[in-house]
Amino acid sequence: MSQRVAEHKVLGAYESVVARATDDPEGFWLDAAQAIDWDVYPTSALDDSEAPLYRWFSDARLNTSYNALDRHVLAGRGDTTALIYDSPVVNKSKSYSYSQLLDKVARCAGMLADLGVVKGDRVVIYLPMIPQAVVAMLACARLGAVHSVVFGGFAAKELAARLDDAGAKVIITASGGIEPSRVVEYLPTIVEALALSAHTVETVIVKDRPEVPGAAAEHQGTDTRWIDWHSTMVDSAPHAPVSVAATDPLYILYTSGTTGSPKGVVRDNGGHTVAMVWSMTNIYDVHPGDVMWTASDVGWVVGHSYIVYGPLLAGATTVLYEGKPVGTPDAGAFWRVVSDYKVKTLFTSPTALRSIRKADPHASLAKNYDLSCLDALFLAGERLDPDTWTWATALLEKPVIDHWWQTETGWAICASPHGIEHLPLRAGSPSFPSPGYNVEIVDDAGLTVGVLDEGHIVIRLPLPPGTLATLWKGDQRYIDGYLSALPGYYLTGDSGYFDREGYLYVMGRTDDIINVAGHRLSTGSMEQVLSQHPFVAECAVIGLHDPIKGQKPAGYVVLKSDVVDADAEVLATELIAMVRGQIGAVAAFKDVTVVSALPKTRSGKILRKTMRQIINGEDYVVPPTIDNIEAISVIVATIRSSTPAGSVGFDTAARPPAQPAGKHHHSSPHKGVSP
Ligand code: COA
Ligand code: AMP
């Protein structure tokens, strides 16, 4: 039995499930595997022959798309609604039954097969939140092709990096997406990405949207052919599901790493299908015919797992919403969707709730809708602050369940297992480890810390089914980045602590990843862009606290010594445009401050953590290895010049005294040259 569970004895049904998953993982996951259809049934669950790279169900075969669609149709549930598309931005709503979705997916698979796509080929999907995104993903899965969905808010350079790394044979895209403030044309981005990419993509398939200019016919290249989604699909014959090994890759999803280059998280077919079905029942309590709405984007892991795969593998109805929490048209949009489609389970990000709350603090718009269908609200993607949890709980009078996970894990590391037992929830905590995850907290030396002591959150290997198999073309990068720091454990990159009753509290990242509006971004990649400017000698990008987005990036740049007459406003505008142009609008990079120095260690390492603490008004310690202590004064003075808030002291040896409540937060610095 898990030591932590045994120690605290708070748990009944959950406790016994955890005990089984811990004592007999083989039996536990083979039992879970019975919930899906296999072409070749697994005789064993865990394959540790290549540890520390573990594989699940390695002697089995299946098809994920068959499990998500055909299986339900063959069971007589073809008329059940599989997908509801709701788009306030084009004022459209459309439902697809399982039979209708199967037909579209099978014909899309036929189209891809006619283009030469076979098992193992990579297909990049760069689509807005339209049904074609779901169809394309499942069509790839049907062929055993590996999809890699790229979020529409990323710019051409990021797309090109993914095309190159994945070696994409085909891109599936649309003429564009619709943001409340503007139409986003995708095809210029595709053209630019193809030009930037060293790899040659054979075919670009374009879904022509009447609302956005651009069509395949306007873009014929010599190396790459462009074809139209609709006219090609019409002539395509449905394709049967292709049997793949459980360990074959289903998808690659790129996510921010600690270096500039994104890393491709590889998800397998078998472990993923088992984990999705298990989590739908046991974590979300969603069953065939129930309606689940995950208000995220298919470009993120949350969208992969709980807009597309989880609900469809479970035979539930999923909602695909092409809109925002506010502004499409108002802060009542979420409540409208819940009541229109009788949503049982809503899953979204804390940022989305905070933006609704800001626009409609008393949730008066919610009173216009019947929300009695709602069973629970799940939140993830970033820390759920207690204030937002309390607000949502009072509003809905339903469980508001924070759960913690990562692109790498694909499903919740910690959650309150709503389908197993309704455990008491605590503000600020995503509750307990999910069965299969052995979560521990260690200090810098890898030693277990005491209860309430904060440290690195690590997971004892093996990770359960459905978690990352490896990184694309990057076994060693996976081992070096996640598994080497503490042999036998997976390093999550998050810090946190357990309380006395075994609730986990996740406090933030220990690396240079920041979480902006639920979007995971690398400050390192933003620094790479800033340092390309001819005036910039060195720079640091720091995550500032933001009341709505959680964090927002702010750049601090030191100019080259021969740059004497730079206009700070002009420079800031240029740097902001560079980050938007190279990474994308999603980076939300809008603050730049020119400073005369950045604090560094004697070995030349910029003291980003110390800067972050000073800028966010937190307690900080200046490391004794600092080389240029005067640079600390520069940062402090920069903060002072931008806010009248209380003084910030520093001391090379000791932690400064804790500051009184209310004096800890400084507003973000204004653009300008520091004194
Ligand atoms: N295509 C193009 N641009 C996009 C985009 C897309 N798909 N999504 C966002 N952008 C743009 C926005 O228009 C905005 O541009 P602007 O600077 O010109 O205003 C910029 O990227 C920043 O967007 P964002 O910070 O996301 O704000 P938003 O108002 O567009 O959306 C939320 C707010 C809450 C809806 C959104 O941030 C969100 O859904 N966050 C949760 C993400 C998530 O689901 N994470 C996974 C865990 S649940
Ligand atoms: P992503 O890979 O984009 O899903 O981002 C994963 C990171 O988001 C985690 O490593 C955490 O830092 C953060 N995160 C996600 N969910 C939570 C949560 N419920 N509580 C705290 N942090 C979270």
Side-chain angles (χ1 to χ4, degrees):
M1 180 182 294
S2 147
Q3 212 183 349
R4 187 162 301 282
V5 171
E7 265 169 29
H8 300 298
K9 300 224 180 301
V10 287
L11 315 166
Y14 162 74
E15 180 178 29
S16 61
V17 176
V18 169
R20 171 103 207 284
T22 311
D23 295 345
D24 178 20
E26 194 68 14
F28 183 88
W29 290 114
L30 281 173
D31 277 358
Q34 289 185 22
I36 69 165
D37 283 4
W38 300 89
D39 299 328
V40 176
Y41 204 83
T43 59
S44 69
L46 181 67
D47 174 354
D48 60 4
S49 58
E50 290 175 33
L53 303 178
Y54 294 89
R55 302 188 307 167
W56 289 92
F57 311 113
S58 57
D59 63 354
R61 298 186 74 81
L62 78 163
N63 182 278
T64 298
S65 159
Y66 175 90
N67 272 281
L69 299 168
D70 309 54
R71 183 163 76 112
H72 308 307
V73 174
L74 291 171
R77 301 188 56 252
D79 291 338
T80 302
T81 304
L83 175 71
I84 300 169
Y85 165 59
D86 183 287
S87 174
V89 294
V90 295
N91 204 14
K92 198 167 165 186
S93 165
K94 190 167 177 192
S95 293
Y96 300 80
S97 68
Y98 270 95
S99 295
Q100 289 168 328
L101 190 60
L102 171 58
D103 176 62
K104 290 200 178 300
V105 168
R107 282 189 300 112
C108 181
M111 166 171 72
L112 291 171
D114 291 345
L115 294 170
V117 174
V118 296
K119 177 172 160 305
D121 284 343
R122 275 81 59 209
V123 175
V124 161
I125 298 174
Y126 188 73
L127 283 169
M129 288 284 286
I130 55 177
Q132 286 74 14
V134 180
V135 171
M137 290 166 76
L138 290 167
C140 291
R142 197 165 189 82
L143 293 178
V146 182
H147 62 69
S148 185
V149 183
V150 179
F151 178 64
F154 281 120
K157 195 160 175 251
E158 291 288 327
L159 178 57
R162 287 154 174 79
L163 294 174
D164 273 339
D165 193 73
K169 191 170 202 171
V170 171
I171 301 175
I172 303 179
T173 190
S175 49
I178 297 144
E179 288 293 291
S181 58
R182 66 192 191 284
V183 162
V184 183
E185 288 184 41
Y186 281 12
L187 301 194
T189 304
I190 300 285
V191 170
E192 195 186 337
L194 289 174
L196 288 169
S197 167
H199 169 80
T200 302
V201 173
E202 288 180 13
T203 310
V204 178
I205 304 172
V206 182
K207 153 77 182 136
D208 189 355
R209 302 187 80 188
E211 302 82 9
V212 189
E218 296 161 20
H219 293 275
Q220 285 311 327
T222 44
D223 298 327
T224 304
R225 70 187 143 163
W226 292 64
I227 64 170
D228 177 65
W229 168 283
H230 277 300
S231 49
T232 316
M233 273 267 275
V234 165
D235 296 331
S236 303
H239 202 291
V242 172
S243 187
V244 301
T247 51
D248 280 338
L250 170 67
Y251 68 76
I252 307 167
L253 182 54
Y254 286 90
T255 189
S256 301
T258 48
T259 64
S261 63
K263 50 192 177 187
V265 165
V266 178
R267 194 85 59 212
D268 67 8
N269 275 275
H272 173 254
T273 299
V274 171
M276 285 297 101
V277 172
W278 189 90
S279 68
M280 288 299 294
T281 308
N282 294 284
I283 295 182
Y284 300 99
D285 199 18
V286 172
H287 304 273
D290 288 344
V291 182
M292 178 171 196
W293 174 30
T294 299
S296 176
D297 190 287
V298 286
W300 307 118
V301 68
V302 168
H304 278 60
S305 293
Y306 296 112
I307 295 175
V308 183
Y309 287 110
L312 296 177
L313 286 166
T317 300
T318 187
V319 180
L320 184 78
Y321 173 71
E322 190 187 21
K324 304 275 176 178
V326 295
T328 56
D330 57 29
F334 272 28
W335 318 129
R336 174 194 58 84
V337 174
V338 168
S339 97
D340 276 2
Y341 305 118
K342 305 273 171 288
V343 171
K344 175 183 175 188
T345 305
L346 172 61
F347 177 174
T348 191
S349 60
T351 299
L353 277 194
R354 288 193 297 263
S355 57
I356 293 172
R357 184 182 179 189
K358 185 177 176 214
D360 183 17
H362 304 294
S364 43
L365 292 169
K367 299 184 179 78
N368 299 334
Y369 301 99
D370 177 6
L371 304 181
S372 57
C373 51
L374 198 63
D375 171 59
L377 166 63
F378 285 83
L379 294 160
E382 56 180 308
R383 184 165 183 268
L384 172 59
D385 53 287
D387 204 29
T388 303
W389 181 80
T390 306
W391 179 80
T393 304
L395 163 68
L396 297 172
E397 297 177 333
K398 300 280 164 63
V400 175
I401 302 176
D402 182 14
H403 59 329
W404 166 61
W405 46 302
Q406 310 180 311
T407 305
E408 289 85 342
T409 65
W411 61 286
I413 308 166
C414 277
S416 185
H418 194 59
I420 299 177
E421 186 176 2
H422 290 198
L423 297 163
L425 299 163
R426 290 195 178 173
S429 169
S431 301
F432 306 104
S434 299
Y437 287 99
N438 293 298
V439 179
E440 296 181 22
I441 314 279
V442 297
D443 63 16
D444 287 345
L447 301 172
T448 304
V449 302
V451 169
L452 296 178
D453 285 341
E454 189 172 331
H456 302 275
I457 314 179
V458 295
I459 307 171
R460 200 180 328 137
L461 295 174
L463 299 177
T467 52
L468 81 169
T470 186
L471 297 177
W472 183 250
K473 295 190 296 193
D475 286 352
Q476 198 54 48
R477 192 176 173 196
Y478 175 40
I479 293 168
D480 293 347
Y482 296 87
L483 309 178
S484 296
L486 187 60
Y489 289 84
Y490 166 90
L491 189 69
T492 65
D494 282 307
S495 68
Y497 64 91
F498 278 108
D499 73 10
R500 291 188 199 291
E501 287 74 33
Y503 285 79
L504 182 76
Y505 293 76
V506 181
M507 303 312 289
R509 297 286 309 189
T510 54
D511 50 23
D512 69 355
I513 287 170
I514 57 171
N515 203 308
V516 182
H519 308 310
R520 172 167 157 183
L521 297 163
S522 155
T523 54
S525 64
M526 293 186 221
E527 289 175 6
Q528 267 180 23
V529 176
L530 297 182
S531 58
Q532 288 164 15
H533 193 287
F535 287 5
V536 172
E538 57 187 1
C539 60
V541 173
I542 307 292
L544 303 185
H545 290 314
D546 183 85
I548 303 297
K549 291 178 189 276
Q551 283 184 298
K552 63 176 181 179
Y556 294 84
V557 298
V558 177
L559 303 187
K560 289 180 180 157
S561 53
D562 56 351
V563 177
V564 285
D565 55 356
D567 179 321
E569 285 294 334
V570 172
L571 179 65
T573 307
E574 287 172 5
L575 292 171
I576 288 165
M578 282 172 72
V579 174
R580 191 176 173 101
Q582 292 191 36
I583 296 179
V586 67
F589 182 81
K590 298 196 168 150
D591 284 301
V592 180
T593 304
V594 179
V595 290
S596 56
L598 295 170
K600 283 196 248 174
T601 62
R602 282 192 279 278
S603 60
K605 198 166 171 285
I606 295 172
L607 291 165
R608 292 181 176 78
K609 185 174 172 195
T610 311
M611 284 181 68
R612 189 182 71 222
Q613 289 168 328
I614 296 172
I615 292 163
N616 284 315
E618 295 162 6
D619 294 349
Y620 64 95
V621 180
V622 178
T625 52
I626 191 163
D627 183 48
N628 54 348
I629 194 140
E630 66 287 351
I632 293 286
S633 325
V634 168
I635 298 300
V636 171
T638 304
I639 306 303
R640 284 205 191 125
S641 70
S642 63
T643 167
S647 66
V648 183
F650 64 91
D651 185 326
T652 50
R655 207 175 165 91
Q659 296 174 28
K663 289 200 170 181
H664 279 237
H665 300 287
H666 301 268
S667 61
S668 75
H670 301 131
K671 294 174 202 130
V673 181
S674 70

